[in-house]
Amino acid sequence: MKKLFAFTMIVCVYLNAIAGNHYLASTGNDSNTGTSSVSPWKTITKLNTITYSPGDTVFFHSGDTFRGAVLVNQSGNLASKVIFTSYGLGNKPIISGANSVTGWTTSGAYYQASSTQTVINFFVNDKEQILARYPDEGSYLTVDVATNNYLQDASLTSFSAAVLNASQVCVHTAEWSWEKSKISSSTGNKIVYLTPTLQIPTANYGYFLYDDTTYLTTSKEWKYDATALKIYYKPSSGNPNTLNCEATVRPYGISLASSVSNITIRNIAFEKQASSGISISDSTNQNILIDDCYFAHQYISGVDVQGENIEIKNSYFREIDGFAIYINQKGFKANIHHNTFRNNGGFRNSGIGQEINLSAIRGSYFVDSCHIHHNDIDSVGYCGIAMDGQHNLIERNIIRHAMLINNDGAALKSYGVNSKYNIFKNNFVSSSDGNTDGTPSGVHFITPAIYFDFDVSYCTIQENTIYDRAQKGIFLNAGTNHNTVIGNIVYGGNYSIDYNGVPNPFHLTAMDGMTVKNNSFFAKDPNAYIIRMIDNTGGYFHGIIDSNYYFQPYNAAKYALIMPSTDYTFLQWKTTGLDQNTKRSFVNWTLPTSHDTLIMNQTDNIVTINLGTSKYLDLDSNVVCGNIILQPYTSKILIKTPAFCLLTGINENMNGQLSAIIYPNPFSSWATLEITNGEITDYELTLFDLFGKELKKYKTHNRKTEIARDDLPNGMYFYLIKSNKQFISSGKLILQ
């Protein structure tokens, strides 16, 4: 064994010794050796001629742009990976899928320039331009009748067949999808799709036509003519020869062939690829690390992931048209963490143009055992994180402004019978209410923050925080079963939690066996319900609902809504046998009054938050003074009172002379106020309601004084005891 180990070490040392370094720089020359920074190659074309060995490192010079696509056909090994990285000072080197476009000339109302390579996308000064469309951006035509293969619209009769047959169409086929296709033929008010749509839109759904020169009427629009090999462009102002114009023409930045494994890609920028910045294209790829990279303006995806043990970390994804990260097909044990996502999925007719398009992180139906954590997502067209498959852990992510294009989806979503044993835990979701543009007027899907769609089972929604939203918090759709919703905070929204028990003919499993416990559901509007339930027969059973906090301080009548129109107060709701151990609001107020506050910890550290001198109550009506400690990625709702925290305990005193107690507490008719320490003197007790209104005042100089309830209703009150205007004690008093 010792000899074998020694031999193995010698082999590893030998392999490392012959491992090669390959350098590229914009000032290089492909006739150089390429083996040092003083003799670099110039082009990716030259790089693609080499054969990689374990331990090889490819260095791209920082600050340079390399226009090409790197194809990797050989693997590293676990001890000696093949590495792609940078050298020198400056910004990350850019691998670009675009060519510079120059030589613009005028052509009527727009400019034209040549491109012998097919143009997929077009940018000016690093901003994506609009592929010429009708009607212009922000407006839509509407469907009269449609199938998967065609649509009809009376307004199409005003277009020539030649124009329509040269166009593409993008149709809002459902509230969760915009689908696109070339038009194969047209007749009168009818256009036929070259590619059938997956969904069939009903009447009055929106669509638009695009990709014909006749639509080139508005600034920032462009069109590529594959026959004339010309790009046509209408700038906002000025001459495009004075602008930085780039046309996307290459499919990927780095592509790993089948079975290629043990690769590291670090500190490189990828921009403007027609398909993916990095393509990990096969389930046989393993042990790929992408670290500290930058992705922008890819047409399909920033990273297309298949294979096993793919790690993507510390990277930045900006303005990618389709998916920022797509875990495709048999992705297994992907670890995606500490990445930043900004403004992705911004164009309805970009990306793959189908119903799963436009998400920041998308895990397809068969992914397994992935860990998605510590990602910061802001502004995305569809879902922030949509993870199907099994045994995936989605935790400690922050998602803001998801669902900017569609409205049937969620910031966090899982779908389908194959989605089992997934955990969504300690995530924060805000400002993701959906977009109904292009949908028929009337009732729309209500966008949730967290969404278990048809038939998801044995999954968990745990300790997430949902806030700053007008739409519903958690949605359990038809056929979902044996899922657990525990310890979450839903702060605002029109429904905190929504059950859809309606049987669906395409999803045969009945809703069954849910567990919803220990959640805090807090309404921020008088018209909001804590719970909505579409309840019916057909095997439906919601499961356990208990030990939650239901707070509707604006409207005591609106705790639950059983569809179609039955309202329940909290006590009526409990007569159903549900929520026997749940606590309801002990406060009430009217708009614009609001005494509640949400305190959050969106870090990995245990934090202590200073509350100042104000006295707060938690949802158990316990007094909270001074500081509050929050565990990582958790939050807490507190009720602010008009009282102040002057002491560490309610029975202490500042001057050390007097202390007092009130007992029994709670009480129903009479209580006793007793001075327990110090010399007897004149003192007074003042009683306040929760909003600081003075209700009663008692003055005495006896050691014991009886306090009468009088006409005070049941509830919680605050008291303040003073002697000669000096504080003695304060606390809460409960009448029952």
Side-chain angles (χ1 to χ4, degrees):
M1 288 299 294
K2 289 182 178 179
K3 291 181 179 179
L4 177 61
F5 176 76
F7 175 75
T8 302
M9 291 300 295
I10 291 170
V11 169
C12 289
V13 170
Y14 174 75
L15 289 176
N16 285 330
I18 65 172
N21 292 333
H22 312 286
Y23 290 82
L24 285 86
S26 61
T27 57
N29 190 305
D30 287 350
S31 63
N32 288 339
T33 63
T35 57
S36 72
S37 61
V38 297
S39 185
W41 292 326
K42 183 179 181 67
T43 69
I44 288 175
T45 300
K46 176 64 176 180
L47 179 66
N48 284 338
T49 64
I50 71 171
T51 298
Y52 297 102
S53 299
D56 278 8
T57 300
V58 176
F59 294 95
F60 294 91
H61 187 263
S62 295
D64 290 352
T65 296
F66 301 89
R67 302 187 186 276
V70 180
L71 178 61
V72 184
N73 287 308
Q74 297 84 31
S75 300
N77 58 43
L78 287 175
S80 300
K81 293 187 175 183
V82 173
I83 300 172
F84 296 85
T85 188
S86 64
Y87 76 100
L89 302 177
N91 295 329
K92 290 177 171 59
I94 298 171
I95 296 178
S96 175
N99 285 339
S100 293
V101 182
T102 58
W104 293 96
T105 60
T106 57
S107 178
Y110 43 80
Y111 286 80
Q112 66 178 24
S114 298
S115 176
T116 57
Q117 294 175 277
T118 300
V119 177
I120 303 300
N121 216 344
F122 181 64
F123 301 86
V124 175
N125 293 340
D126 204 41
K127 295 295 182 183
E128 183 170 346
Q129 304 300 287
I130 301 165
L131 187 54
R133 55 170 283 179
Y134 181 87
D136 291 332
E137 189 177 31
S139 300
Y140 307 95
L141 301 167
T142 55
V143 172
D144 291 339
V145 177
T147 70
N148 294 103
N149 297 301
Y150 68 84
L151 71 79
Q152 291 177 277
D153 173 16
S155 67
L156 290 173
T157 57
S158 63
F159 294 82
S160 72
V163 168
L164 291 176
N165 293 342
S167 300
Q168 298 191 59
V169 62
C170 183
V171 190
H172 199 11
T173 55
E175 291 187 82
W176 60 89
S177 65
W178 291 78
E179 300 187 57
K180 65 180 182 179
S181 173
K182 291 184 177 180
I183 296 174
S184 63
S185 64
S186 63
T187 306
N189 69 343
K190 179 179 178 179
I191 55 176
V192 178
Y193 313 141
L194 181 63
T195 304
T197 61
L198 298 174
Q199 305 297 326
I200 302 174
T202 57
N204 297 317
Y205 267 88
Y207 75 97
F208 58 93
L209 304 166
Y210 67 102
D211 200 20
D212 187 79
T213 311
T214 60
Y215 310 140
L216 192 59
T217 59
T218 303
S219 64
K220 299 184 180 180
E221 288 189 332
W222 69 281
K223 153 73 181 168
Y224 178 69
D225 187 326
T227 302
L229 303 179
K230 298 285 187 182
I231 303 172
Y232 303 109
Y233 175 54
K234 190 175 180 65
S236 300
S237 62
N239 188 324
N241 288 301
T242 65
L243 306 173
N244 178 25
C245 300
E246 295 179 286
T248 293
V249 296
R250 299 179 190 86
Y252 50 80
I254 294 179
S255 179
L256 308 183
S258 298
S259 301
V260 169
S261 299
N262 301 302
I263 304 293
T264 293
I265 303 169
R266 178 179 284 120
N267 200 40
I268 296 175
F270 298 86
E271 294 186 1
K272 304 180 179 71
Q273 282 78 26
S275 181
S276 304
I278 297 175
S279 176
I280 306 171
S281 58
D282 194 83
S283 61
T284 58
N285 298 120
Q286 295 184 21
N287 304 319
I288 312 299
L289 171 63
I290 300 168
D291 180 21
D292 192 24
C293 289
Y294 175 91
F295 300 86
H297 297 306
Q298 285 75 32
Y299 190 73
I300 301 294
S301 59
V303 183
D304 185 9
V305 177
Q306 294 192 58
E308 184 175 350
N309 292 323
I310 313 299
E311 184 176 8
I312 305 172
K313 67 176 183 177
N314 303 320
S315 295
Y316 195 102
F317 296 81
R318 176 177 71 88
E319 297 175 21
I320 295 164
D321 283 3
F323 311 100
I325 296 176
Y326 186 22
I327 310 173
N328 192 357
Q329 299 301 318
K330 297 291 185 178
F332 183 56
K333 293 185 179 179
N335 186 5
I336 299 172
H337 62 99
H338 293 92
N339 301 290
T340 301
F341 301 80
R342 293 292 184 269
N343 301 310
N344 296 290
F347 293 86
R348 290 164 174 81
N349 58 329
S350 290
I352 62 173
Q354 294 179 346
E355 60 182 357
I356 62 172
N357 201 23
L358 311 180
S359 294
I361 301 175
R362 165 70 182 168
S364 69
Y365 204 52
F366 300 102
V367 299
D368 198 330
S369 302
C370 297
H371 192 190
I372 315 297
H373 60 104
H374 292 93
N375 298 288
D376 186 329
I377 299 171
D378 196 330
S379 301
V380 58
Y382 191 37
C383 301
I385 302 174
M387 285 297 294
D388 302 335
Q390 303 183 49
H391 308 104
N392 301 299
L393 175 58
I394 302 92
E395 64 171 338
R396 299 192 178 194
N397 302 284
I398 299 171
I399 303 103
R400 300 175 297 275
H401 305 106
M403 303 301 299
L404 293 178
I405 285 180
N406 294 324
N407 66 300
D408 189 341
L412 295 170
K413 183 175 184 290
S414 192
Y415 167 83
V417 69
N418 200 52
S419 292
K420 300 179 179 179
Y421 313 111
N422 297 317
I423 299 173
F424 292 78
K425 181 180 180 182
N426 293 109
N427 302 285
F428 283 79
V429 175
S430 63
S431 305
S432 302
D433 284 335
N435 185 344
T436 60
D437 287 356
T439 58
S441 60
V443 177
H444 296 106
F445 181 85
I446 302 170
T447 306
I450 303 179
Y451 186 5
F452 280 1
D453 204 354
F454 296 127
D455 301 326
V456 170
S457 60
Y458 298 99
C459 292
T460 299
I461 300 171
Q462 181 177 350
E463 295 179 4
N464 302 281
T465 299
I466 300 166
Y467 67 102
D468 194 21
R469 300 182 71 257
Q471 304 280 42
K472 61 187 166 189
I474 298 170
F475 183 36
L476 306 172
N477 206 357
T480 53
N481 62 94
H482 298 93
N483 298 302
T484 299
V485 180
I486 187 167
N488 302 280
I489 288 180
V490 180
Y491 187 67
N494 54 3
Y495 309 116
S496 294
I497 187 166
D498 191 4
Y499 294 77
N500 180 12
V502 174
N504 188 304
F506 303 104
H507 306 273
L508 301 180
T509 305
M511 180 176 281
D512 185 32
M514 302 296 190
T515 299
V516 177
K517 298 184 70 173
N518 304 122
N519 303 284
S520 297
F521 299 134
F522 202 107
K524 297 288 291 175
D525 183 274
N527 295 314
Y529 291 90
I530 299 299
I531 185 169
R532 184 177 79 156
M533 187 176 290
I534 302 177
D535 199 354
N536 55 63
T537 58
Y540 167 88
F541 177 64
H542 45 68
I544 299 169
I545 307 175
D546 201 7
S547 302
N548 300 291
Y549 296 87
Y550 286 0
F551 270 66
Q552 177 34 300
Y554 298 95
N555 190 340
K558 290 199 171 183
Y559 274 94
L561 170 63
I562 305 301
M563 295 295 286
S565 59
T566 304
D567 285 1
Y568 284 74
T569 66
F570 179 72
L571 294 179
Q572 289 171 333
W573 176 246
K574 292 187 75 170
T575 64
T576 64
L578 302 172
D579 278 313
Q580 295 305 300
N581 298 297
T582 287
K583 295 185 178 182
R584 63 173 172 172
S585 177
F586 56 79
V587 293
N588 58 81
W589 45 68
T590 58
L591 289 175
T593 300
S594 175
H595 296 284
D596 50 285
T597 185
L598 178 67
I599 299 175
M600 299 181 289
N601 176 15
Q602 297 179 342
T603 75
D604 282 317
N605 303 311
I606 298 173
V607 300
T608 300
I609 297 172
N610 189 334
L611 299 175
T613 60
S614 294
K615 181 175 290 186
Y616 290 84
L617 302 174
D618 65 18
L619 298 190
D620 288 314
S621 74
N622 294 316
V623 172
V624 180
C625 277
N627 298 313
I628 184 171
I629 297 174
L630 288 181
Q631 297 298 311
Y633 283 88
T634 63
S635 60
K636 194 173 185 67
I637 299 172
L638 296 178
I639 310 297
K640 188 176 182 179
T641 77
F644 294 96
C645 297
L646 300 178
L647 302 174
T648 58
I650 64 171
N651 291 323
E652 300 178 52
N653 60 87
M654 296 182 68
N655 55 25
Q657 295 177 351
L658 293 173
S659 61
I661 60 172
I662 298 176
Y663 59 88
N665 187 7
F667 74 96
S668 57
S669 298
W670 295 87
T672 299
L673 167 61
E674 181 179 352
I675 298 298
T676 58
N677 184 49
E679 182 180 348
I680 298 295
T681 184
D682 291 339
Y683 61 96
E684 66 180 21
L685 177 145
T686 307
L687 205 60
F688 303 88
D689 68 12
L690 293 181
F691 309 116
K693 180 180 179 182
E694 184 177 311
L695 302 176
K696 287 181 177 294
K697 184 171 287 187
Y698 305 86
K699 293 185 178 181
T700 182
H701 60 273
N702 297 320
R703 185 173 292 276
K704 290 185 179 182
T705 299
E706 298 300 311
I707 299 172
R709 175 197 182 115
D710 294 334
D711 57 350
L712 292 175
N714 287 348
M716 187 172 66
Y717 302 87
F718 288 105
Y719 67 82
L720 176 66
I721 304 173
K722 294 190 296 184
S723 175
N724 296 325
K725 298 184 179 182
Q726 290 190 339
F727 176 86
I728 297 177
S729 182
S730 67
K732 61 182 180 180
L733 194 61
I734 298 174
L735 303 184
Q736 62 182 18

